[in-house]
Amino acid sequence: MNLRKVTAASAAVLALSLTATACGSEDKDSDAGSSAGDKKITVGIKYDQPGLGLKTPDGSFTGFDVDVATYVAKELGYAEGDIVFKETKSADRETALERGDVDFIAATYSITDERKEKVDFAGPYLLAHQDLLIRADDTVAKGEDLNGKKLCSVTGSTSAQNVKTKFAPDAQLRQVGTYSECLTGLQSGAVDALTTDDSILAGYASQDQYKGKFKLAGLELSNENYGIGVKKGNTEMLNKINAALEKMVSDKAWDEAVKANFGPANYENEAAPQIGNIVK
């Protein structure tokens, strides 16, 4: 927060009073989640995931994660205009929270034991499954079919390593910065498959420029429990976000967000998960 400077003409008593008040306000503003007129909350999202987190050409943001983050921020006391969305790529999520670059992250952030060592997770708020996006005229019946194939995913994602470890150790892995780069490679033939969560893949497959070109393989290679990441040890923030997620489900706003963002792709989502229930 930028504090107003007191003019030289102000009386000494008034100056001291304003300074004390300003210091008190600054201390309060350091705690994310409290409400104040011109305070902002910074939320990490993805910018290139249609249906989940997408920055549109006009500068607005759409997607299920965006809707969830907006609902949560409002429950924390922030108006929609006080939410600052910040691009947070998969490889940067833990660091962004540790440095305080963002207050929380809603960015297709799968809850894993390894990640829980560095950050705390509210939720889960969505259960997705790892799948493959392939060209419309290709067929992949099982994970093992990827041996010898060129597989693309993003740096920092657990999806590609999951395929290499459990199904296709001889897959040729290509890791890039964004899923959009994988889509370009899949379209050109530079890679044979893109792997990540089915929710993300469904968003891409439903885009106008890709309709009829790609399809989901229809494999459930893993369970992905999406959580909201917060800085390690921030229990107050964690509890507030969990309460907001529970309210979002109970008042049907969760169902409305699912329909609005995944409905066009005919994505068959799982029911809203219970807070703290991690499906292995």
Side-chain angles (χ1 to χ4, degrees):
M1 172 180 288
N2 294 321
L3 303 178
R4 292 183 178 178
K5 295 182 179 179
V6 181
T7 64
S10 300
V13 174
L14 176 60
L16 289 173
S17 175
L18 289 174
T19 301
T21 302
C23 291
S25 298
E26 190 170 20
D27 290 342
K28 180 180 179 181
D29 289 353
S30 66
D31 294 326
S34 59
S35 60
D38 59 351
K39 276 182 76 270
K40 302 290 184 181
I41 187 167
T42 304
V43 182
I45 62 169
K46 296 290 181 67
Y47 274 19
D48 69 334
Q49 292 181 351
L52 286 151
L54 181 70
K55 184 176 182 179
T56 63
D58 66 2
S60 60
F61 301 93
T62 64
F64 182 72
D65 282 349
V66 174
D67 288 348
V68 170
T70 300
Y71 187 99
V72 167
K74 287 181 177 179
E75 288 299 308
L76 294 178
Y78 295 87
E80 189 167 348
D82 294 329
I83 304 170
V84 178
F85 289 115
K86 183 180 180 65
E87 183 176 24
T88 312
K89 297 180 179 179
S90 295
D92 302 330
R93 289 177 295 203
E94 287 81 22
T95 302
L97 286 169
E98 290 170 0
R99 286 195 309 232
D101 296 342
V102 295
D103 294 299
F104 67 81
I105 293 176
T108 59
Y109 204 178
S110 297
I111 302 171
T112 67
D113 291 338
E114 182 180 4
R115 288 171 177 166
K116 285 165 66 175
E117 293 178 1
K118 299 179 180 179
V119 302
D120 287 333
F121 284 100
Y125 63 90
L126 183 72
L127 175 61
H129 304 285
Q130 184 182 347
D131 200 354
L132 305 173
L133 191 67
I134 57 179
R135 287 180 287 274
D137 56 354
D138 287 347
T139 301
V140 177
K142 55 185 184 300
E144 288 77 5
D145 291 344
L146 290 171
N147 279 307
K149 300 289 187 179
K150 298 171 185 174
L151 177 65
C152 190
S153 193
V154 297
T155 303
S157 171
T158 59
S159 301
Q161 292 300 331
N162 186 52
V163 170
K164 289 275 289 183
T165 302
K166 297 181 179 179
F167 304 104
D170 294 327
Q172 300 173 38
L173 178 58
R174 179 185 178 189
Q175 292 182 304
V176 295
T178 65
Y179 291 110
S180 298
E181 295 176 68
C182 285
L183 264 292
T184 300
L186 186 59
Q187 190 169 16
S188 69
V191 297
D192 299 304
L194 160 59
T195 186
T196 187
D197 306 341
D198 52 6
S199 56
I200 299 172
L201 298 176
Y204 281 117
S206 66
Q207 286 188 294
D208 289 338
Q209 66 266 39
Y210 296 132
K211 284 181 179 178
K213 296 180 180 180
F214 305 135
K215 65 182 181 182
L216 291 168
L219 308 180
E220 292 187 2
L221 300 176
S222 70
N223 294 320
E224 303 297 332
N225 300 268
Y226 288 178
I228 292 181
V230 302
K231 189 172 184 178
K232 191 72 175 177
N234 193 344
T235 305
E236 181 179 1
M237 171 72 85
L238 190 72
N239 292 337
K240 288 181 178 179
I241 293 177
N242 276 331
L245 292 174
E246 289 178 338
K247 183 178 178 182
M248 187 177 187
V249 173
S250 66
D251 68 11
K252 305 301 181 182
W254 188 91
D255 294 310
E256 293 172 5
V258 167
K259 183 177 180 180
N261 293 290
F262 298 134
N266 295 318
Y267 172 63
E268 297 181 3
N269 64 283
E270 300 276 3
Q274 293 183 340
I275 299 301
N277 182 26
I278 308 300
V279 180
K280 299 294 187 180

